[in-house]
PDB file of all heavy atoms in Angstrom:
ATOM      1  N   GLU A   1      33.103   9.353 -14.182  1.00 97.00           N
ATOM      2  CA  GLU A   1      32.322   9.988 -13.120  1.00 97.00           C
ATOM      3  C   GLU A   1      32.120  11.467 -13.399  1.00 97.00           C
ATOM      4  O   GLU A   1      31.018  12.003 -13.233  1.00 97.00           O
ATOM      5  CB  GLU A   1      33.028   9.809 -11.772  1.00 97.00           C
ATOM      6  CG  GLU A   1      32.824   8.453 -11.145  1.00 97.00           C
ATOM      7  CD  GLU A   1      33.162   8.465  -9.672  1.00 97.00           C
ATOM      8  OE1 GLU A   1      34.288   8.858  -9.333  1.00 97.00           O
ATOM      9  OE2 GLU A   1      32.295   8.090  -8.861  1.00 97.00           O
ATOM     10  N   GLU A   2      33.196  12.141 -13.809  1.00 97.00           N
ATOM     11  CA  GLU A   2      33.102  13.573 -14.088  1.00 97.00           C
ATOM     12  C   GLU A   2      32.103  13.843 -15.202  1.00 97.00           C
ATOM     13  O   GLU A   2      31.282  14.768 -15.114  1.00 97.00           O
ATOM     14  CB  GLU A   2      34.479  14.111 -14.474  1.00 97.00           C
ATOM     15  CG  GLU A   2      34.592  15.621 -14.442  1.00 97.00           C
ATOM     16  CD  GLU A   2      34.392  16.206 -13.061  1.00 97.00           C
ATOM     17  OE1 GLU A   2      34.791  15.563 -12.062  1.00 97.00           O
ATOM     18  OE2 GLU A   2      33.813  17.308 -12.975  1.00 97.00           O
ATOM     19  N   SER A   3      32.149  13.012 -16.251  1.00 97.00           N
ATOM     20  CA  SER A   3      31.216  13.170 -17.369  1.00 97.00           C
ATOM     21  C   SER A   3      29.778  12.952 -16.913  1.00 97.00           C
ATOM     22  O   SER A   3      28.866  13.693 -17.303  1.00 97.00           O
ATOM     23  CB  SER A   3      31.585  12.187 -18.476  1.00 97.00           C
ATOM     24  OG  SER A   3      30.672  12.269 -19.541  1.00 97.00           O
ATOM     25  N   TYR A   4      29.578  11.932 -16.092  1.00 97.00           N
ATOM     26  CA  TYR A   4      28.231  11.635 -15.597  1.00 97.00           C
ATOM     27  C   TYR A   4      27.688  12.786 -14.751  1.00 97.00           C
ATOM     28  O   TYR A   4      26.551  13.222 -14.926  1.00 97.00           O
ATOM     29  CB  TYR A   4      28.253  10.348 -14.781  1.00 97.00           C
ATOM     30  CG  TYR A   4      26.891   9.934 -14.245  1.00 97.00           C
ATOM     31  CD1 TYR A   4      26.021   9.178 -15.016  1.00 97.00           C
ATOM     32  CD2 TYR A   4      26.476  10.312 -12.963  1.00 97.00           C
ATOM     33  CE1 TYR A   4      24.773   8.800 -14.542  1.00 97.00           C
ATOM     34  CE2 TYR A   4      25.234   9.950 -12.477  1.00 97.00           C
ATOM     35  CZ  TYR A   4      24.390   9.194 -13.266  1.00 97.00           C
ATOM     36  OH  TYR A   4      23.147   8.837 -12.785  1.00 97.00           O
ATOM     37  N   LEU A   5      28.502  13.292 -13.845  1.00 97.00           N
ATOM     38  CA  LEU A   5      28.052  14.336 -12.923  1.00 97.00           C
ATOM     39  C   LEU A   5      27.770  15.647 -13.640  1.00 97.00           C
ATOM     40  O   LEU A   5      26.942  16.444 -13.189  1.00 97.00           O
ATOM     41  CB  LEU A   5      29.090  14.537 -11.822  1.00 97.00           C
ATOM     42  CG  LEU A   5      29.261  13.350 -10.866  1.00 97.00           C
ATOM     43  CD1 LEU A   5      30.466  13.546  -9.969  1.00 97.00           C
ATOM     44  CD2 LEU A   5      28.000  13.132 -10.042  1.00 97.00           C
ATOM     45  N   ARG A   6      28.433  15.882 -14.764  1.00 97.00           N
ATOM     46  CA  ARG A   6      28.222  17.124 -15.519  1.00 97.00           C
ATOM     47  C   ARG A   6      27.091  17.005 -16.528  1.00 97.00           C
ATOM     48  O   ARG A   6      26.614  18.015 -17.040  1.00 97.00           O
ATOM     49  CB  ARG A   6      29.508  17.502 -16.253  1.00 97.00           C
ATOM     50  CG  ARG A   6      30.624  17.992 -15.326  1.00 97.00           C
ATOM     51  CD  ARG A   6      31.830  18.420 -16.147  1.00 97.00           C
ATOM     52  NE  ARG A   6      32.903  18.941 -15.311  1.00 97.00           N
ATOM     53  CZ  ARG A   6      34.060  19.413 -15.781  1.00 97.00           C
ATOM     54  NH1 ARG A   6      34.291  19.396 -17.095  1.00 97.00           N
ATOM     55  NH2 ARG A   6      34.976  19.872 -14.957  1.00 97.00           N
ATOM     56  N   SER A   7      26.675  15.785 -16.834  1.00 96.00           N
ATOM     57  CA  SER A   7      25.686  15.584 -17.890  1.00 96.00           C
ATOM     58  C   SER A   7      24.277  15.937 -17.418  1.00 96.00           C
ATOM     59  O   SER A   7      23.962  15.870 -16.236  1.00 96.00           O
ATOM     60  CB  SER A   7      25.708  14.128 -18.368  1.00 96.00           C
ATOM     61  OG  SER A   7      25.321  13.258 -17.318  1.00 96.00           O
ATOM     62  N   SER A   8      23.452  16.318 -18.367  1.00 95.00           N
ATOM     63  CA  SER A   8      22.043  16.584 -18.097  1.00 95.00           C
ATOM     64  C   SER A   8      21.247  16.170 -19.328  1.00 95.00           C
ATOM     65  O   SER A   8      21.363  16.812 -20.381  1.00 95.00           O
ATOM     66  CB  SER A   8      21.814  18.063 -17.795  1.00 95.00           C
ATOM     67  OG  SER A   8      20.455  18.299 -17.497  1.00 95.00           O
ATOM     68  N   PRO A   9      20.470  15.100 -19.246  1.00 95.00           N
ATOM     69  CA  PRO A   9      20.235  14.276 -18.061  1.00 95.00           C
ATOM     70  C   PRO A   9      21.466  13.445 -17.704  1.00 95.00           C
ATOM     71  O   PRO A   9      22.416  13.366 -18.487  1.00 95.00           O
ATOM     72  CB  PRO A   9      19.066  13.392 -18.490  1.00 95.00           C
ATOM     73  CG  PRO A   9      19.271  13.238 -19.970  1.00 95.00           C
ATOM     74  CD  PRO A   9      19.771  14.575 -20.430  1.00 95.00           C
ATOM     75  N   LYS A  10      21.424  12.816 -16.539  1.00 97.00           N
ATOM     76  CA  LYS A  10      22.542  12.038 -16.047  1.00 97.00           C
ATOM     77  C   LYS A  10      22.659  10.741 -16.848  1.00 97.00           C
ATOM     78  O   LYS A  10      21.873   9.816 -16.669  1.00 97.00           O
ATOM     79  CB  LYS A  10      22.358  11.733 -14.555  1.00 97.00           C
ATOM     80  CG  LYS A  10      22.480  12.968 -13.677  1.00 97.00           C
ATOM     81  CD  LYS A  10      23.937  13.374 -13.549  1.00 97.00           C
ATOM     82  CE  LYS A  10      24.130  14.541 -12.597  1.00 97.00           C
ATOM     83  NZ  LYS A  10      23.645  15.820 -13.124  1.00 97.00           N
ATOM     84  N   LEU A  11      23.681  10.690 -17.722  1.00 97.00           N
ATOM     85  CA  LEU A  11      23.825   9.535 -18.607  1.00 97.00           C
ATOM     86  C   LEU A  11      25.246   9.508 -19.154  1.00 97.00           C
ATOM     87  O   LEU A  11      25.792  10.543 -19.544  1.00 97.00           O
ATOM     88  CB  LEU A  11      22.826   9.633 -19.755  1.00 97.00           C
ATOM     89  CG  LEU A  11      22.702   8.498 -20.763  1.00 97.00           C
ATOM     90  CD1 LEU A  11      21.330   8.530 -21.418  1.00 97.00           C
ATOM     91  CD2 LEU A  11      23.768   8.576 -21.853  1.00 97.00           C
ATOM     92  N   VAL A  12      25.852   8.337 -19.189  1.00 98.00           N
ATOM     93  CA  VAL A  12      27.166   8.173 -19.789  1.00 98.00           C
ATOM     94  C   VAL A  12      27.259   6.767 -20.378  1.00 98.00           C
ATOM     95  O   VAL A  12      26.667   5.816 -19.850  1.00 98.00           O
ATOM     96  CB  VAL A  12      28.285   8.421 -18.756  1.00 98.00           C
ATOM     97  CG1 VAL A  12      28.296   7.335 -17.686  1.00 98.00           C
ATOM     98  CG2 VAL A  12      29.640   8.527 -19.417  1.00 98.00           C
ATOM     99  N   VAL A  13      27.987   6.634 -21.495  1.00 98.00           N
ATOM    100  CA  VAL A  13      28.181   5.347 -22.158  1.00 98.00           C
ATOM    101  C   VAL A  13      29.620   4.889 -21.911  1.00 98.00           C
ATOM    102  O   VAL A  13      30.563   5.671 -22.065  1.00 98.00           O
ATOM    103  CB  VAL A  13      27.913   5.451 -23.673  1.00 98.00           C
ATOM    104  CG1 VAL A  13      28.244   4.126 -24.373  1.00 98.00           C
ATOM    105  CG2 VAL A  13      26.460   5.843 -23.920  1.00 98.00           C
ATOM    106  N   ILE A  14      29.770   3.619 -21.508  1.00 98.00           N
ATOM    107  CA  ILE A  14      31.086   3.042 -21.232  1.00 98.00           C
ATOM    108  C   ILE A  14      31.284   1.846 -22.154  1.00 98.00           C
ATOM    109  O   ILE A  14      30.593   0.830 -22.019  1.00 98.00           O
ATOM    110  CB  ILE A  14      31.202   2.580 -19.761  1.00 98.00           C
ATOM    111  CG1 ILE A  14      30.813   3.701 -18.792  1.00 98.00           C
ATOM    112  CG2 ILE A  14      32.609   2.084 -19.476  1.00 98.00           C
ATOM    113  CD1 ILE A  14      30.667   3.230 -17.349  1.00 98.00           C
ATOM    114  N   ASP A  15      32.202   1.945 -23.084  1.00 98.00           N
ATOM    115  CA  ASP A  15      32.516   0.807 -23.952  1.00 98.00           C
ATOM    116  C   ASP A  15      33.634  -0.032 -23.338  1.00 98.00           C
ATOM    117  O   ASP A  15      34.359   0.419 -22.446  1.00 98.00           O
ATOM    118  CB  ASP A  15      32.904   1.298 -25.342  1.00 98.00           C
ATOM    119  CG  ASP A  15      31.679   1.720 -26.156  1.00 98.00           C
ATOM    120  OD1 ASP A  15      30.629   1.058 -26.028  1.00 98.00           O
ATOM    121  OD2 ASP A  15      31.758   2.720 -26.904  1.00 98.00           O
ATOM    122  N   ASN A  16      33.771  -1.282 -23.820  1.00 97.00           N
ATOM    123  CA  ASN A  16      34.723  -2.231 -23.231  1.00 97.00           C
ATOM    124  C   ASN A  16      34.513  -2.303 -21.722  1.00 97.00           C
ATOM    125  O   ASN A  16      35.470  -2.252 -20.941  1.00 97.00           O
ATOM    126  CB  ASN A  16      36.164  -1.820 -23.558  1.00 97.00           C
ATOM    127  CG  ASN A  16      36.408  -1.737 -25.053  1.00 97.00           C
ATOM    128  OD1 ASN A  16      36.078  -2.674 -25.784  1.00 97.00           O
ATOM    129  ND2 ASN A  16      36.949  -0.617 -25.507  1.00 97.00           N
ATOM    130  N   PHE A  17      33.257  -2.453 -21.345  1.00 98.00           N
ATOM    131  CA  PHE A  17      32.866  -2.344 -19.936  1.00 98.00           C
ATOM    132  C   PHE A  17      33.469  -3.451 -19.077  1.00 98.00           C
ATOM    133  O   PHE A  17      34.028  -3.187 -18.008  1.00 98.00           O
ATOM    134  CB  PHE A  17      31.344  -2.367 -19.846  1.00 98.00           C
ATOM    135  CG  PHE A  17      30.798  -2.328 -18.445  1.00 98.00           C
ATOM    136  CD1 PHE A  17      31.118  -1.306 -17.570  1.00 98.00           C
ATOM    137  CD2 PHE A  17      29.952  -3.334 -17.998  1.00 98.00           C
ATOM    138  CE1 PHE A  17      30.613  -1.279 -16.276  1.00 98.00           C
ATOM    139  CE2 PHE A  17      29.436  -3.316 -16.713  1.00 98.00           C
ATOM    140  CZ  PHE A  17      29.768  -2.292 -15.848  1.00 98.00           C
ATOM    141  N   LEU A  18      33.370  -4.693 -19.527  1.00 98.00           N
ATOM    142  CA  LEU A  18      33.879  -5.820 -18.757  1.00 98.00           C
ATOM    143  C   LEU A  18      35.220  -6.285 -19.294  1.00 98.00           C
ATOM    144  O   LEU A  18      35.528  -6.102 -20.478  1.00 98.00           O
ATOM    145  CB  LEU A  18      32.889  -6.994 -18.813  1.00 98.00           C
ATOM    146  CG  LEU A  18      31.470  -6.748 -18.319  1.00 98.00           C
ATOM    147  CD1 LEU A  18      30.640  -8.013 -18.485  1.00 98.00           C
ATOM    148  CD2 LEU A  18      31.457  -6.283 -16.868  1.00 98.00           C
ATOM    149  N   SER A  19      35.992  -6.910 -18.424  1.00 98.00           N
ATOM    150  CA  SER A  19      37.203  -7.580 -18.896  1.00 98.00           C
ATOM    151  C   SER A  19      36.792  -8.742 -19.797  1.00 98.00           C
ATOM    152  O   SER A  19      35.653  -9.227 -19.737  1.00 98.00           O
ATOM    153  CB  SER A  19      38.025  -8.090 -17.713  1.00 98.00           C
ATOM    154  OG  SER A  19      37.331  -9.155 -17.062  1.00 98.00           O
ATOM    155  N   ALA A  20      37.723  -9.186 -20.639  1.00 98.00           N
ATOM    156  CA  ALA A  20      37.410 -10.285 -21.564  1.00 98.00           C
ATOM    157  C   ALA A  20      36.979 -11.536 -20.806  1.00 98.00           C
ATOM    158  O   ALA A  20      36.029 -12.224 -21.206  1.00 98.00           O
ATOM    159  CB  ALA A  20      38.627 -10.582 -22.438  1.00 98.00           C
ATOM    160  N   ALA A  21      37.638 -11.810 -19.681  1.00 98.00           N
ATOM    161  CA  ALA A  21      37.298 -13.011 -18.907  1.00 98.00           C
ATOM    162  C   ALA A  21      35.913 -12.893 -18.289  1.00 98.00           C
ATOM    163  O   ALA A  21      35.137 -13.858 -18.277  1.00 98.00           O
ATOM    164  CB  ALA A  21      38.353 -13.233 -17.818  1.00 98.00           C
ATOM    165  N   ALA A  22      35.585 -11.713 -17.756  1.00 98.00           N
ATOM    166  CA  ALA A  22      34.272 -11.517 -17.137  1.00 98.00           C
ATOM    167  C   ALA A  22      33.160 -11.600 -18.171  1.00 98.00           C
ATOM    168  O   ALA A  22      32.103 -12.203 -17.923  1.00 98.00           O
ATOM    169  CB  ALA A  22      34.231 -10.170 -16.425  1.00 98.00           C
ATOM    170  N   LEU A  23      33.376 -11.006 -19.338  1.00 98.00           N
ATOM    171  CA  LEU A  23      32.372 -11.055 -20.404  1.00 98.00           C
ATOM    172  C   LEU A  23      32.114 -12.493 -20.826  1.00 98.00           C
ATOM    173  O   LEU A  23      30.952 -12.915 -20.955  1.00 98.00           O
ATOM    174  CB  LEU A  23      32.851 -10.232 -21.599  1.00 98.00           C
ATOM    175  CG  LEU A  23      31.949 -10.245 -22.837  1.00 98.00           C
ATOM    176  CD1 LEU A  23      30.582  -9.656 -22.524  1.00 98.00           C
ATOM    177  CD2 LEU A  23      32.621  -9.487 -23.995  1.00 98.00           C
ATOM    178  N   ALA A  24      33.163 -13.270 -21.011  1.00 98.00           N
ATOM    179  CA  ALA A  24      33.004 -14.666 -21.436  1.00 98.00           C
ATOM    180  C   ALA A  24      32.291 -15.481 -20.366  1.00 98.00           C
ATOM    181  O   ALA A  24      31.410 -16.302 -20.678  1.00 98.00           O
ATOM    182  CB  ALA A  24      34.377 -15.276 -21.745  1.00 98.00           C
ATOM    183  N   SER A  25      32.642 -15.267 -19.101  1.00 98.00           N
ATOM    184  CA  SER A  25      32.030 -16.028 -18.013  1.00 98.00           C
ATOM    185  C   SER A  25      30.551 -15.709 -17.876  1.00 98.00           C
ATOM    186  O   SER A  25      29.708 -16.609 -17.731  1.00 98.00           O
ATOM    187  CB  SER A  25      32.765 -15.721 -16.701  1.00 98.00           C
ATOM    188  OG  SER A  25      32.184 -16.426 -15.623  1.00 98.00           O
ATOM    189  N   LEU A  26      30.211 -14.420 -17.933  1.00 98.00           N
ATOM    190  CA  LEU A  26      28.814 -14.024 -17.775  1.00 98.00           C
ATOM    191  C   LEU A  26      27.975 -14.477 -18.963  1.00 98.00           C
ATOM    192  O   LEU A  26      26.839 -14.942 -18.800  1.00 98.00           O
ATOM    193  CB  LEU A  26      28.723 -12.507 -17.598  1.00 98.00           C
ATOM    194  CG  LEU A  26      27.346 -11.937 -17.289  1.00 98.00           C
ATOM    195  CD1 LEU A  26      26.756 -12.557 -16.020  1.00 98.00           C
ATOM    196  CD2 LEU A  26      27.403 -10.414 -17.152  1.00 98.00           C
ATOM    197  N   ARG A  27      28.535 -14.365 -20.162  1.00 98.00           N
ATOM    198  CA  ARG A  27      27.794 -14.799 -21.352  1.00 98.00           C
ATOM    199  C   ARG A  27      27.514 -16.301 -21.292  1.00 98.00           C
ATOM    200  O   ARG A  27      26.400 -16.752 -21.599  1.00 98.00           O
ATOM    201  CB  ARG A  27      28.583 -14.453 -22.613  1.00 98.00           C
ATOM    202  CG  ARG A  27      27.861 -14.858 -23.908  1.00 98.00           C
ATOM    203  CD  ARG A  27      28.757 -14.622 -25.093  1.00 98.00           C
ATOM    204  NE  ARG A  27      28.989 -13.213 -25.330  1.00 98.00           N
ATOM    205  CZ  ARG A  27      30.008 -12.732 -26.032  1.00 98.00           C
ATOM    206  NH1 ARG A  27      30.916 -13.555 -26.553  1.00 98.00           N
ATOM    207  NH2 ARG A  27      30.134 -11.434 -26.233  1.00 98.00           N
ATOM    208  N   GLU A  28      28.508 -17.082 -20.882  1.00 98.00           N
ATOM    209  CA  GLU A  28      28.308 -18.532 -20.801  1.00 98.00           C
ATOM    210  C   GLU A  28      27.229 -18.876 -19.793  1.00 98.00           C
ATOM    211  O   GLU A  28      26.388 -19.747 -20.042  1.00 98.00           O
ATOM    212  CB  GLU A  28      29.626 -19.211 -20.419  1.00 98.00           C
ATOM    213  CG  GLU A  28      29.529 -20.727 -20.366  1.00 98.00           C
ATOM    214  CD  GLU A  28      30.872 -21.383 -20.098  1.00 98.00           C
ATOM    215  OE1 GLU A  28      31.826 -21.092 -20.838  1.00 98.00           O
ATOM    216  OE2 GLU A  28      30.969 -22.183 -19.151  1.00 98.00           O
ATOM    217  N   TYR A  29      27.229 -18.187 -18.650  1.00 98.00           N
ATOM    218  CA  TYR A  29      26.191 -18.454 -17.647  1.00 98.00           C
ATOM    219  C   TYR A  29      24.809 -18.120 -18.205  1.00 98.00           C
ATOM    220  O   TYR A  29      23.853 -18.895 -18.044  1.00 98.00           O
ATOM    221  CB  TYR A  29      26.460 -17.632 -16.386  1.00 98.00           C
ATOM    222  CG  TYR A  29      25.519 -17.964 -15.242  1.00 98.00           C
ATOM    223  CD1 TYR A  29      25.827 -18.975 -14.339  1.00 98.00           C
ATOM    224  CD2 TYR A  29      24.314 -17.283 -15.074  1.00 98.00           C
ATOM    225  CE1 TYR A  29      24.970 -19.305 -13.306  1.00 98.00           C
ATOM    226  CE2 TYR A  29      23.444 -17.602 -14.045  1.00 98.00           C
ATOM    227  CZ  TYR A  29      23.779 -18.609 -13.156  1.00 98.00           C
ATOM    228  OH  TYR A  29      22.917 -18.927 -12.144  1.00 98.00           O
ATOM    229  N   CYS A  30      24.685 -16.977 -18.866  1.00 98.00           N
ATOM    230  CA  CYS A  30      23.378 -16.573 -19.397  1.00 98.00           C
ATOM    231  C   CYS A  30      22.902 -17.495 -20.500  1.00 98.00           C
ATOM    232  O   CYS A  30      21.705 -17.745 -20.641  1.00 98.00           O
ATOM    233  CB  CYS A  30      23.445 -15.133 -19.905  1.00 98.00           C
ATOM    234  SG  CYS A  30      23.556 -13.896 -18.593  1.00 98.00           S
ATOM    235  N   GLU A  31      23.822 -18.033 -21.273  1.00 98.00           N
ATOM    236  CA  GLU A  31      23.447 -18.974 -22.329  1.00 98.00           C
ATOM    237  C   GLU A  31      23.015 -20.315 -21.752  1.00 98.00           C
ATOM    238  O   GLU A  31      22.078 -20.935 -22.264  1.00 98.00           O
ATOM    239  CB  GLU A  31      24.629 -19.179 -23.285  1.00 98.00           C
ATOM    240  CG  GLU A  31      24.916 -18.009 -24.197  1.00 98.00           C
ATOM    241  CD  GLU A  31      26.149 -18.225 -25.061  1.00 98.00           C
ATOM    242  OE1 GLU A  31      26.899 -19.200 -24.812  1.00 98.00           O
ATOM    243  OE2 GLU A  31      26.371 -17.415 -25.983  1.00 98.00           O
ATOM    244  N   GLU A  32      23.664 -20.772 -20.687  1.00 98.00           N
ATOM    245  CA  GLU A  32      23.500 -22.149 -20.251  1.00 98.00           C
ATOM    246  C   GLU A  32      22.604 -22.340 -19.029  1.00 98.00           C
ATOM    247  O   GLU A  32      21.908 -23.361 -18.941  1.00 98.00           O
ATOM    248  CB  GLU A  32      24.880 -22.749 -19.961  1.00 98.00           C
ATOM    249  CG  GLU A  32      25.747 -22.861 -21.210  1.00 98.00           C
ATOM    250  CD  GLU A  32      27.115 -23.482 -20.937  1.00 98.00           C
ATOM    251  OE1 GLU A  32      27.429 -23.731 -19.742  1.00 98.00           O
ATOM    252  OE2 GLU A  32      27.854 -23.731 -21.903  1.00 98.00           O
ATOM    253  N   ALA A  33      22.620 -21.448 -18.063  1.00 98.00           N
ATOM    254  CA  ALA A  33      21.854 -21.652 -16.828  1.00 98.00           C
ATOM    255  C   ALA A  33      20.354 -21.573 -17.112  1.00 98.00           C
ATOM    256  O   ALA A  33      19.872 -20.598 -17.691  1.00 98.00           O
ATOM    257  CB  ALA A  33      22.251 -20.617 -15.784  1.00 98.00           C
ATOM    258  N   THR A  34      19.623 -22.592 -16.704  1.00 98.00           N
ATOM    259  CA  THR A  34      18.182 -22.656 -16.999  1.00 98.00           C
ATOM    260  C   THR A  34      17.385 -21.960 -15.891  1.00 98.00           C
ATOM    261  O   THR A  34      16.559 -22.564 -15.213  1.00 98.00           O
ATOM    262  CB  THR A  34      17.730 -24.114 -17.163  1.00 98.00           C
ATOM    263  OG1 THR A  34      18.068 -24.839 -15.969  1.00 98.00           O
ATOM    264  CG2 THR A  34      18.410 -24.771 -18.348  1.00 98.00           C
ATOM    265  N   VAL A  35      17.662 -20.668 -15.746  1.00 98.00           N
ATOM    266  CA  VAL A  35      17.039 -19.877 -14.681  1.00 98.00           C
ATOM    267  C   VAL A  35      16.100 -18.810 -15.233  1.00 98.00           C
ATOM    268  O   VAL A  35      15.628 -17.942 -14.491  1.00 98.00           O
ATOM    269  CB  VAL A  35      18.123 -19.219 -13.793  1.00 98.00           C
ATOM    270  CG1 VAL A  35      18.935 -20.283 -13.073  1.00 98.00           C
ATOM    271  CG2 VAL A  35      19.037 -18.303 -14.619  1.00 98.00           C
ATOM    272  N   TRP A  36      15.785 -18.882 -16.515  1.00 98.00           N
ATOM    273  CA  TRP A  36      14.972 -17.866 -17.178  1.00 98.00           C
ATOM    274  C   TRP A  36      13.494 -18.242 -17.043  1.00 98.00           C
ATOM    275  O   TRP A  36      12.864 -18.721 -17.982  1.00 98.00           O
ATOM    276  CB  TRP A  36      15.389 -17.744 -18.638  1.00 98.00           C
ATOM    277  CG  TRP A  36      16.840 -17.443 -18.782  1.00 98.00           C
ATOM    278  CD1 TRP A  36      17.871 -18.338 -18.779  1.00 98.00           C
ATOM    279  CD2 TRP A  36      17.436 -16.148 -18.920  1.00 98.00           C
ATOM    280  NE1 TRP A  36      19.069 -17.683 -18.904  1.00 98.00           N
ATOM    281  CE2 TRP A  36      18.844 -16.347 -18.996  1.00 98.00           C
ATOM    282  CE3 TRP A  36      16.924 -14.848 -19.006  1.00 98.00           C
ATOM    283  CZ2 TRP A  36      19.737 -15.293 -19.143  1.00 98.00           C
ATOM    284  CZ3 TRP A  36      17.810 -13.797 -19.161  1.00 98.00           C
ATOM    285  CH2 TRP A  36      19.188 -14.006 -19.216  1.00 98.00           C
ATOM    286  N   LYS A  37      12.930 -17.995 -15.885  1.00 97.00           N
ATOM    287  CA  LYS A  37      11.589 -18.482 -15.573  1.00 97.00           C
ATOM    288  C   LYS A  37      10.492 -17.418 -15.700  1.00 97.00           C
ATOM    289  O   LYS A  37       9.312 -17.731 -15.525  1.00 97.00           O
ATOM    290  CB  LYS A  37      11.567 -19.069 -14.161  1.00 97.00           C
ATOM    291  CG  LYS A  37      12.520 -20.253 -13.969  1.00 97.00           C
ATOM    292  CD  LYS A  37      12.295 -21.348 -14.989  1.00 97.00           C
ATOM    293  CE  LYS A  37      13.241 -22.515 -14.813  1.00 97.00           C
ATOM    294  NZ  LYS A  37      13.116 -23.515 -15.887  1.00 97.00           N
ATOM    295  N   SER A  38      10.863 -16.187 -15.977  1.00 95.00           N
ATOM    296  CA  SER A  38       9.847 -15.138 -16.176  1.00 95.00           C
ATOM    297  C   SER A  38       9.732 -14.854 -17.662  1.00 95.00           C
ATOM    298  O   SER A  38      10.741 -14.646 -18.343  1.00 95.00           O
ATOM    299  CB  SER A  38      10.247 -13.852 -15.436  1.00 95.00           C
ATOM    300  OG  SER A  38      10.300 -14.067 -14.048  1.00 95.00           O
ATOM    301  N   SER A  39       8.505 -14.858 -18.171  1.00 93.00           N
ATOM    302  CA  SER A  39       8.288 -14.512 -19.574  1.00 93.00           C
ATOM    303  C   SER A  39       7.307 -13.345 -19.655  1.00 93.00           C
ATOM    304  O   SER A  39       6.434 -13.182 -18.800  1.00 93.00           O
ATOM    305  CB  SER A  39       7.750 -15.721 -20.353  1.00 93.00           C
ATOM    306  OG  SER A  39       6.610 -16.275 -19.733  1.00 93.00           O
ATOM    307  N   PHE A  40       7.453 -12.530 -20.709  1.00 92.00           N
ATOM    308  CA  PHE A  40       6.721 -11.277 -20.805  1.00 92.00           C
ATOM    309  C   PHE A  40       6.005 -11.167 -22.148  1.00 92.00           C
ATOM    310  O   PHE A  40       6.312 -11.890 -23.096  1.00 92.00           O
ATOM    311  CB  PHE A  40       7.680 -10.103 -20.598  1.00 92.00           C
ATOM    312  CG  PHE A  40       8.364 -10.124 -19.255  1.00 92.00           C
ATOM    313  CD1 PHE A  40       9.539 -10.840 -19.074  1.00 92.00           C
ATOM    314  CD2 PHE A  40       7.815  -9.465 -18.170  1.00 92.00           C
ATOM    315  CE1 PHE A  40      10.167 -10.882 -17.828  1.00 92.00           C
ATOM    316  CE2 PHE A  40       8.436  -9.504 -16.926  1.00 92.00           C
ATOM    317  CZ  PHE A  40       9.605 -10.216 -16.756  1.00 92.00           C
TER     318      PHE A  40
END
């Protein structure tokens, strides 16, 4: 937060953002759920 508030422009990079369990769960959903109905 401190880094973000001091930055100009407002930007910060966060590595290891998700827990291992959350990353695996979200990746599996994105790979498998057939909800990708918008194409560009």
Side-chain angles (χ1 to χ4, degrees):
E1 280 198 305
E2 195 63 34
S3 177
Y4 181 86
L5 293 170
R6 289 183 178 182
S7 64
S8 182
K10 291 285 184 288
L11 185 156
V12 67
V13 175
I14 308 170
D15 283 323
N16 302 310
F17 177 57
L18 302 179
S19 68
L23 177 62
S25 179
L26 186 57
R27 181 186 292 160
E28 182 175 306
Y29 186 89
C30 288
E31 287 176 350
E32 295 181 354
T34 57
V35 296
W36 304 84
K37 299 306 179 186
S38 297
S39 53
F40 300 87

